[in-house]
Amino acid sequence: MNRRDFVKFGGLTAIQLGAAKLLMSQMQPGTQSIAPVPETAKPDFSLRIAPVMVELTPTRTISTIGYNGTSPGPLLRMQEGKPVTVEVINDTDVPELVHWHGLFIPAEVDGVEEEATPMVPPHGRIRYQFVPRPAGTRWYHTHTMAGADLHRGAYTGQFGFLLIESANNPGNYDKEVFLALREWEPFFNPEGDEDEDADNSGPQPERPKTLDTSPSGLEVGYQMFSINDKSMGAGEPIRVRQGERVLMHLLNASASMNRSVALPGHRFQIVAMDGNPIPTPRTVDVVDLGPGERVDAIVEMTQPGIWILGPTTDDARNSGMGILVEYANQHKQPQWVAPPKSVWDYTIFGRAGVQPAPDQTIDMIFQKIPSGAGLFNSWTVNGKQYPHDQEFVLKKGGRYRLVFRNRSEDAHPLHMHRHSFELVEINGKATAGIMKDTVVVPGYGRATVDLVADQPGLTLFHCHIQQHMDYGFKALFRYA
Ligand SMILES: [Cu+2]
C-alpha cells in the first residue's frame, strides 16, 4: 500500500492513534474536542495539506504547501451557530495545525500548539468539531513555527478565507470578491525592507529617549507577489458594470508585510474590520492591512475603465501584487494613479463613548533585541521572551484593559486568539465600538484595547509577523 492509498483508506498508525488518544485524555471533559479517526460520518469540510504548484504567471510557477491542491485554499462558508466537522488530512512529513482565525472556539480546536491543540500528525488526519461564530470574514491558516525554515508556517500557501454567514446578511451589494494579498518565494535579506509601508510619522508616544542602535539581524524579503493565486494581469480581472456595488473582502495573508492598498478612481466604503461591523462606516482612498487583518469594503463602480487594484508601494505592485478591475466594453491600458497621501486611522470608524472601567489594566511592553548581522533578532514581552508562565492570568467575566506599548520602530500586527477586543485608544486618540482580533500598533506607538474574558482556556497572543512570533513575540494568557 503506498502512501496515497494509506491516506485514502483512512486510519492512523497505531502510534499515531495512541498519541491522539493520549491527547484526547488530557483534554478537559465537556469541551468540544477533536475526535480521532476513523469516523464513519462524512465531514462537512475536508482540507488536505499537501504540496501544490501555484501558477502565478504563465512563466512563473512556484512550489509550496497548500490545501486541497490550491493556494489560497477553498473558500469555506459556514453558518453561524451551526456545528461543523472539518477533517484535516496531513499529506506532508511534518506535524501541522489549522488555526481558525477570529473564531470564538475552544483551545482544543483552535489549531495552536501553545494552547495544546493536538497536532495533525504527518500522514495522519484529525477532525476538528466546533460551532462557528461570530459571523463575519474569518480565515484559516497554519500555525506552525517556521524559525529559519522559509518553507514552513505562514511562508507556505496554507491559508484560505472562511466566511461565517449570519441569518441576517443585509446583502446590499451586487457582487462579492475575496482578495488575499500575498508574497511568495521568501528569502533572508540582510538589508531588511520589512514594513516598507510603515508610516512612522505619528506621535510615537512609546519612543525611548535613547534608541538601541546596535546592528539588526536578518529580515524576510520576497521575490514574487500576487493577489490570491495570480500575479497582476495573469488571472481573471474583476469584471464589473457601471453602477454596481462590489463587496470586497480584503485579507492580508502575508507572513510579514504591512500593506496599504488603493483602487484609483474609486473609494472604499469600509463596512467591517476583522469581519466585525464598525460603528461608523466611512469612505477612504487607501486601506491599510497588517498581516492577519481583514477589511470588508463596498466599492461603487462609477468610473468606467480598466484599473489596477493594488498596493501603494511601487515595488510590490510592479512585481505583481494587484488585480485588474475591468468595466464591460473597456479596452484601455490598465491604469494606476497614486492615491492622495493618507494616514490610516482606526479611530475614525469608531464612535464616541467610554468603555466601562476595567477590572485590571495589563501593560505589555514590546522590545526588539537586535541580533547583529546575519542572525535573527529576538523580541520580548515585558522584558521576557515566550514562555510567560504566570504573567497573564484572566478571571472569567473580567474586563481587562491591555496597553500595547511598542518600543520598536516596526509596526506590529498584534493578534489575540479565541477572543475579540475593543479598541480604546490609538496613540492617544480615544475611540469605542470597534471590535477586532488583530490591531497594528505603529512604530513606537501605543494601542489600548479592552478584552472581556469570556472564553476560558489557554489563549495565545502574538505578533502576526511569523518571524517575530517565532523569536519571542508571544504570550500565553490563561484563566485562573
Ligand atoms: Cu511584530
Side-chain angles (χ1 to χ4, degrees), residues 270-301:
I270 312 275
V271 293
M273 296 200 297
D274 290 353
N276 308 316
I278 48 171
T280 310
R282 285 198 191 273
T283 301
V284 296
D285 292 301
V286 178
V287 176
D288 279 18
L289 293 153
E293 286 191 299
R294 290 87 67 211
V295 163
D296 292 346
I298 288 178
V299 180
E300 286 195 47
M301 295 298 161

Side-chain angles (χ1 to χ4, degrees), residues 411-413 463-465 468 473:
H412 299 284
C463 178
H464 220 281
I465 293 175
H468 298 180
F473 203 146

Side-chain angles (χ1 to χ4, degrees), residues 194 379 408 410-414 463-465 467-469 473:
E194 202 174 18
W379 296 87
S408 77
D410 298 338
H412 299 284
L414 303 182
C463 178
H464 220 281
I465 293 175
Q467 195 182 17
H468 298 180
M469 176 175 80
F473 203 146

Side-chain angles (χ1 to χ4, degrees), residues 49 90 92-98 113 118-124 142-145 152-153 158:
I49 305 167
N90 180 4
T92 74
D93 296 329
V94 290
E96 268 298 345
L97 290 156
V98 181
E113 192 175 9
M119 307 281 285
V120 191
H123 306 289
T142 179
H143 213 286
T144 52
M145 299 261 288
R152 288 222 71 191
Q158 294 173 78

Side-chain angles (χ1 to χ4, degrees), residues 227-239:
I227 288 183
N228 299 336
D229 59 347
K230 293 293 180 194
S231 293
M232 186 158 49
E236 287 294 301
I238 302 171
R239 297 184 201 280

Side-chain angles (χ1 to χ4, degrees), residues 271-440:
V271 293
M273 296 200 297
D274 290 353
N276 308 316
I278 48 171
T280 310
R282 285 198 191 273
T283 301
V284 296
D285 292 301
V286 178
V287 176
D288 279 18
L289 293 153
E293 286 191 299
R294 290 87 67 211
V295 163
D296 292 346
I298 288 178
V299 180
E300 286 195 47
M301 295 298 161
T302 55
Q303 295 280 350
I306 301 179
W307 302 95
I308 292 171
L309 167 60
T312 57
T313 38
D314 295 337
D315 282 355
R317 199 179 59 257
N318 294 337
S319 303
M321 186 180 281
I323 188 167
L324 302 182
V325 173
E326 188 177 309
Y327 284 70
N329 305 314
Q330 293 288 318
H331 307 284
K332 299 173 194 158
Q333 281 295 105
Q335 284 191 71
W336 171 260
V337 182
K341 182 135 183 66
S342 68
V343 175
W344 182 251
D345 179 359
Y346 291 116
T347 66
I348 67 170
F349 306 103
R351 57 170 166 76
V354 177
Q355 290 80 3
D359 299 302
Q360 188 188 339
T361 297
I362 301 177
D363 266 303
M364 300 182 79
I365 296 169
F366 311 115
Q367 287 172 294
K368 175 165 112 172
I369 305 173
S371 63
L375 302 169
F376 298 109
N377 303 314
S378 51
W379 296 87
T380 59
V381 179
N382 292 358
K384 274 182 68 176
Q385 277 181 278
Y386 183 87
H388 301 76
D389 296 326
Q390 299 302 327
E391 284 87 343
F392 304 109
V393 180
L394 307 173
K395 283 203 185 86
K396 186 167 190 260
R399 173 179 280 268
Y400 294 86
R401 185 152 297 170
L402 310 179
V403 187
F404 301 144
R405 300 179 184 277
N406 178 7
R407 303 255 166 97
S408 77
E409 64 179 337
D410 298 338
H412 299 284
L414 303 182
H415 174 45
M416 182 70 76
H417 279 247
R418 303 176 51 248
H419 298 72
S420 57
F421 46 68
E422 181 180 356
L423 303 191
V424 172
E425 169 254 359
I426 306 279
N427 276 351
K429 280 181 80 173
T431 191
I434 302 173
M435 303 303 297
K436 288 180 64 57
D437 54 57
T438 307
V439 62
V440 176

Side-chain angles (χ1 to χ4, degrees), residues 161-200:
F161 277 98
L162 164 56
L163 194 68
I164 302 184
E165 297 177 314
S166 86
N168 47 13
N169 179 352
N172 56 349
Y173 51 85
D174 300 300
K175 164 175 300 180
E176 166 177 54
V177 293
F178 292 83
L179 303 171
L181 311 174
R182 187 62 189 186
E183 304 85 11
W184 306 93
E185 303 293 80
F187 61 93
F188 285 117
N189 185 356
E191 296 302 314
D193 59 354
E194 202 174 18
D195 282 322
E196 59 185 13
D197 278 358
D199 180 347
N200 282 343

Side-chain angles (χ1 to χ4, degrees), residues 104-119:
F104 302 160
I105 53 175
E108 290 80 3
V109 290
D110 193 41
V112 178
E113 192 175 9
E114 294 85 345
E115 295 175 358
T117 310
M119 307 281 285

